[in-house]
Every structure is written in C-alpha cells, then in structure tokens.
Amino acid sequence: MVDRLCSPRQVDDLGEPRRTILRLAFHEDLTHEQISTRTGLPLGTVKSHLRRGLVHLRRTLEEVRHEFA
C-alpha cells in the first residue's frame, strides 16, 4: 500500500528505522509486536516510528496534491 501511494524515494527519505518499519508493516503485513521482535526495538518505539512515518508521508502527499490542484 505504501509504495502504491508514494514513490520509493519518498519512502527511502524516511530513513532508518522508519523505512524498515513501514515496509515490514505494509509489505510483510506484520503486527507491531512482530516488528518489535524482528527489529529488536521496543514496542512503543515501533509504534511511534510507524505513526511518524505515516504522518510524514501524508504531509508529502498533501503537498504534492496542492501543487497539482
């Protein structure tokens, strides 16, 4: 889903570990707990990175939409 809405560059611009967390969530359909286990990051950190990454991508999409409106 993320790659269909955003270019790979926008996802890459998120940096680590957000890029990996978003890809695990959307490409591999992992839960927050599974991502936490796989990455070794605390569950709260995974949730925060996922939320902030999605907010960043949403803002980017809104900016692009306004440019073409």
Side-chain angles (χ1 to χ4, degrees):
M1 176 181 143
V2 172
D3 285 342
R4 281 184 261 160
L5 295 175
C6 302
S7 75
R9 181 174 165 249
Q10 291 168 321
V11 175
D12 287 343
D13 286 348
L14 291 173
E16 289 297 336
R18 287 187 188 155
R19 171 179 46 237
T20 297
I21 290 171
L22 259 72
R23 288 190 171 142
L24 290 172
F26 291 100
H27 285 256
E28 297 189 31
D29 200 29
L30 298 181
T31 65
H32 295 125
E33 293 83 8
Q34 291 168 325
I35 295 169
S36 175
T37 300
R38 180 154 321 164
T39 62
L41 295 170
L43 180 60
T45 302
V46 168
K47 289 180 178 183
S48 294
H49 279 304
L50 186 56
R51 170 102 174 102
R52 290 180 187 136
L54 290 172
V55 166
H56 177 81
L57 291 174
R58 183 181 68 209
R59 286 185 189 146
T60 301
L61 289 172
E62 287 173 355
E63 289 172 9
V64 170
R65 187 184 72 185
H66 290 303
E67 287 177 18
F68 290 102

